[in-house]
C-alpha cells in the first residue's frame, strides 16, 4: 500500500523545520517500500501555513499516471493510502451527478466524493484507508482514517 508523509509549518519556523522539502524527502526514503512505483512531493500555501505532502505510490487499481498522488485540482489536495471497497458504486452515483472520471482509481472517487459531499462522504466509504485532504479555499486540512483504524494516522505537534 502507499505511504504518506506530511509537514505543516509556518514561515517563521527555523532550525530543523525550516527545510520541509528535505524532511519530506527523508520521510519518503524511509517508507519507500510502501510505494515503490512513484514518489511525489507537493508544497502549498494555506493561509499562514506551509503544507508539504509527500506520497509513495503502490499502483494496484489503476496503473496509469491518472491515479498519481497527491491529487490536486487547485482547491483540494488528496494524499491517500488504502482501499475503498465500494468505490465502483460511489463512482456510479457521482457519474449520475455529472462527474467525469479520468482514471479507474478509488483515489479519484474519494477526491470527487469530497468535492460533492465534503466530510459527509466518509459515511459512504466501506474500506480501510487513511488520507490527508487539504482545502485551500477553507484553509483546512483533514487527517482521516477508517472507522477501525486499520490504516492509522500518526501525527504530532512539537512544542512551540
Amino acid at each position: 500500500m502507499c505511504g504518506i508523509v506530511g509537514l505543516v509549518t509556518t514561515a517563521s519556523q527555523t532550525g530543523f523545520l525550516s527545510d520541509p522539502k528535505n524532511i519530506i524527502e527523508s520521510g519518503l526514503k524511509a517508507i519507500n517500500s510502501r510505494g515503490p512505483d512513484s514518489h511525489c512531493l507537493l508544497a502549498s500555501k494555506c493561509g499562514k501555513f506551509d503544507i508539504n505532502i509527500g506520497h509513495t505510490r503502490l499502483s494496484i487499481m489503476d496503473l496509469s499516471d491518472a491515479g498519481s498522488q497527491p491529487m490536486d485540482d487547485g482547491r483540494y489536495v488528496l494524499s491517500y493510502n488504502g482501499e475503498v471497497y465500494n468505490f465502483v458504486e460511489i463512482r456510479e452515483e457521482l457519474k449520475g451527478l455529472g462527474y467525469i472520471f479520468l482514471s479507474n482509481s478509488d483515489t479519484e472517487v474519494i477526491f470527487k466524493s469530497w468535492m460533492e459531499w465534503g466530510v459527509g462522504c466518509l459515511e459512504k466509504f466501506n474500506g480501510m484507508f487513511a488520507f490527508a485532504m487539504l482545502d485551500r479555499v477553507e484553509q483546512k486540512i483533514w487527517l482521516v482514517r477508517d472507522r477501525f483504524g486499520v490504516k492509522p494516522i500518526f501525527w504530532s505537534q512539537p512544542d512551540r
Side-chain angles (χ1 to χ4, degrees):
M1 291 270 159
C2 302
I4 304 166
V5 178
L7 185 63
V8 178
T9 57
T10 61
S12 65
Q13 289 179 303
T14 59
F16 176 70
L17 295 177
S18 66
D19 192 1
K21 183 178 178 190
N22 280 343
I23 295 169
I24 297 298
E25 286 174 350
S26 294
L28 289 174
K29 285 179 188 172
I31 62 171
N32 183 58
S33 63
R34 296 195 56 79
D37 296 329
S38 67
H39 300 83
C40 188
L41 188 146
L42 179 133
S44 182
K45 285 285 207 191
C46 187
K48 68 178 183 175
F49 296 101
D50 296 320
I51 311 291
N52 290 272
I53 299 171
H55 189 91
T56 62
R57 182 175 182 213
L58 177 62
S59 303
I60 296 174
M61 295 289 197
D62 184 337
L63 305 181
S64 75
D65 287 343
S68 293
Q69 297 180 57
M71 198 168 273
D72 183 358
D73 75 346
R75 175 177 180 172
Y76 297 107
V77 177
L78 171 66
S79 187
Y80 158 71
N81 173 33
E83 183 177 356
V84 173
Y85 307 131
N86 61 333
F87 84 96
V88 173
E89 294 85 355
I90 297 169
R91 178 186 171 109
E92 290 306 311
E93 183 177 356
L94 288 164
K95 281 182 175 180
L97 294 171
Y99 286 87
I100 297 169
F101 288 84
L102 304 176
S103 76
N104 292 313
S105 71
D106 55 349
T107 306
E108 189 177 12
V109 171
I110 291 171
F111 193 85
K112 291 185 176 175
S113 293
W114 194 280
M115 291 170 68
E116 179 65 26
W117 299 296
V119 73
C121 70
L122 300 175
E123 297 298 320
K124 295 184 173 285
F125 299 157
N126 176 15
M128 57 175 189
F129 53 85
F131 63 85
M133 177 64 84
L134 169 66
D135 182 334
R136 292 183 181 107
V137 172
E138 288 191 28
Q139 297 186 0
K140 293 181 180 179
I141 188 165
W142 288 267
L143 300 179
V144 178
R145 67 169 178 80
D146 61 82
R147 291 170 191 86
F148 299 106
V150 174
K151 298 290 181 188
I153 287 188
F154 300 97
W155 65 278
S156 84
Q157 183 175 359
D159 294 335
R160 296 174 197 214

